[in-house]
Amino acid sequence: MGVDTVFGLPGDGINGIMEGLRRSKTIRFVLVHHEEAAAFMAAAHAKATGRIGVCLATSGPGGIHLLNGLYDAKLDHQPVLAITGSQETSVLGTGYQQEVGLEHLYEDVAEYNLVVDNPAQLPGVVDIAIRTAYARRGVAHLTVPNDVQVADADADPYQHVAPATPPATSATRAYPIGIPREQDLRAAAEVLSAAERPAILAGAGSLHAREELLAVADLLGAPIVKTLPGKAAIPDDSEFAVGGIGLLGTKPGAELMDDCDVLFMVGTNFPYTKHLPAPDAVKVVQVDADPARIGARLPIKAGLVGDAKETLAALAPMLTRRDDRAHLEKYQKAMGDWRSNMEALENKDRSPIAPQYLMGVIDDAATDDAVLTCDSGTIATWAARHWTIRGGREFYLSGNLATMAPGLPYANAVQHAFPKRQVIAFVGDGGFAMLMAEFLTAAQHGWPITVVVNNNNSLGQILWEQMVLGYPEHGVRFEKPEGNFAAWAEACGGFGRKVTDAGELEAAIRGALAFDGPALVDVDVDPNEPPLPGTIAYEQAKKFATAFLRGQPHKVAIATTLFKDKISQLG
């Protein structure tokens, strides 16, 4: 089935499976320190390679720990197989130790979900589980009782009819859904060719369709705005790029959504409709591999069910080239201004260190084929705006689940899959602390990942969300002492540097990237730097002011930081 790696943590509920992995000549078992990390690594493996990710956990608490990472795979439509253990069939239902009905617990997360009752089932159901995960772009789950694990491979204690068997030649990948019907393509081409102010919204489903996406944008004279999971769809310095959408997006991207008369959605089911055009103000064409997602966000004029790459290639010859570039040039100028503003915020003279400067240093020092993994939170804002997609660079984060803590396990999985590429995890102190033992995992497996901790000693995103709701912050800043994650990295045998002075930052980052092994740079950044949206609505500003008037405890520091930001942009 094309599986070469299983991420997991052993336990007495999976000893039989572990023995099978020990005997295997083709599958490597990667030992982690927490089952949640194993599931994140399986999801990241699927995202980065396109091949199914596999994770393994013992019965009861082990299987429960997998869930957060499995929901990450489910919500980002990644094929993952989760294998869990169970007590012997003879004691199920008796309240045995660690007895948890994982097949019931997984009912929502799994597209395929089965307790294996008979060893004779295994060849068939493993094949079906993997093919289902590929076909439905989601999670498959098999839970295997202990006595089934240790039984003879051909045992059939019940003497049933011949069990299901896998096909003689089993497909290791699901085939792309293909090309839409010709009449649908022509209907879409008619709407797109008539656009006067077109816009393309590119999502994760278009990551493999860069050349086709750029070719269609050129024909239409259309600026391209990207969702965050789709950030690597086209280079950020492309003449068609206008950055991102939503709270983490750019001002030109937001303005384009309000200005366009035709929106072409390619490989995205972007959920935040308040950042999309008004339904009555725009004509929408959408291409998606899943017909259930066509028209789910906005009413459409034309829907194309198909693989983004193949669909765009088939659509392009039907489009009428638009020679008037005024609309595109308008957004090229706006993006030039936006980039200048972002570069101004990468100011090394600020103290405390500006997180924009930290991300800018990483961006300058990284190779053109580097992979950046990211946690959720304010760090996602800095990565969205200051990590430049160029060359073969890639970018991965928890998209729709937006959970904390995947950045480090993602980096481990990507480095395992691509040992010669530069892999960087950009994480916050809150998320890193949750699964920091996985840095030790990297050291033990010899993965040369680079971890950069954007350390504001707080849960920064929640802080600003509280203020935007009009509430003074509460319960979002950690007490003293602050963690020294660099010391942890050194204790694991890796490279560790603590940076509090901007003048020391570049040397520390470059030293970490050059280190032959896992490296970590723990950077104290300004905790009062707001991740402001590209455009600020009146209601947001009003509630932000209300939080100040109600007694925001750090209002002087926040106001000072905002003033420094504006001075940097004006300077």
Side-chain angles (χ1 to χ4, degrees), residues 386-526:
H386 301 271
W387 172 250
T388 306
I389 297 298
R390 60 175 183 263
R393 283 186 174 183
E394 296 179 48
F395 175 74
Y396 298 106
L397 82 170
S398 174
N400 287 303
L401 186 61
T403 180
M404 293 175 68
L408 173 56
Y410 268 30
N412 282 346
V414 175
Q415 192 75 81
H416 170 70
F418 302 106
K420 295 184 179 180
R421 292 186 70 173
Q422 192 179 74
V423 181
I424 305 166
F426 184 55
V427 298
D429 53 291
F432 181 76
M434 288 182 173
L435 290 174
M436 60 189 288
E438 301 311 320
F439 188 88
L440 182 57
T441 300
Q444 291 168 337
H445 290 283
W447 295 325
I449 62 168
T450 299
V451 180
V452 181
V453 182
N454 183 85
N455 194 338
N456 54 22
N457 202 42
S458 66
L459 301 173
Q461 188 71 31
I462 308 306
L463 186 161
W464 299 107
E465 287 173 348
Q466 288 178 352
M467 292 185 66
V468 168
L469 290 172
Y471 308 144
E473 65 173 73
H474 178 69
V476 291
R477 300 195 194 233
F478 294 108
E479 301 292 337
K480 303 289 185 180
E482 297 180 7
N484 184 346
F485 300 117
W488 165 245
E490 291 184 326
C492 294
F495 175 105
R497 293 291 183 275
K498 180 72 172 177
V499 177
T500 59
D501 185 334
E504 301 172 355
L505 183 58
E506 183 174 355
I509 295 294
R510 292 188 181 276
L513 291 171
F515 185 72
D516 185 19
L520 183 147
V521 182
D522 183 3
V523 185
D524 285 356
V525 299
D526 190 346

Side-chain angles (χ1 to χ4, degrees), residues 242-244 247-253 331-345 384-386 532-535 569:
V242 292
L247 290 175
L248 280 61
T250 64
K251 183 178 180 182
Y331 286 95
Q332 288 172 340
K333 181 181 184 304
M335 271 307 291
D337 294 340
W338 173 265
R339 291 185 183 107
S340 295
N341 283 335
M342 292 301 100
E343 288 173 7
L345 293 174
R385 295 176 178 174
H386 301 271
L532 295 175
T535 57
Q569 291 176 336

Side-chain angles (χ1 to χ4, degrees), residues 71 166 249 272 297 327:
Y71 270 101
Y272 304 105
R297 304 305 180 195
H327 172 66

Side-chain angles (χ1 to χ4, degrees), residues 147-200:
D147 49 338
V148 176
Q149 295 175 35
V150 300
D152 292 339
D154 58 353
D156 184 5
Y158 310 111
Q159 297 301 309
H160 283 144
V161 297
T165 58
T169 302
S170 179
T172 59
R173 299 273 308 267
Y175 291 104
I177 197 167
I179 303 172
R181 300 178 304 174
E182 183 174 349
Q183 59 263 45
D184 294 334
L185 287 166
R186 293 198 178 280
E190 183 178 349
V191 176
L192 293 168
S193 295
E196 295 183 358
R197 301 183 310 281
I200 297 174

Side-chain angles (χ1 to χ4, degrees), residues 135-149:
R136 299 181 184 173
R137 304 295 299 176
V139 174
H141 170 234
L142 296 173
T143 188
V144 187
N146 264 324
D147 49 338
V148 176
Q149 295 175 35

Side-chain angles (χ1 to χ4, degrees), residues 257-277:
M257 290 297 100
D258 290 336
D259 180 40
C260 65
D261 63 346
V262 172
L263 178 62
F264 189 18
M265 300 175 66
V266 182
T268 179
N269 191 34
F270 184 74
Y272 304 105
T273 53
K274 68 179 180 179
H275 297 293
L276 294 173

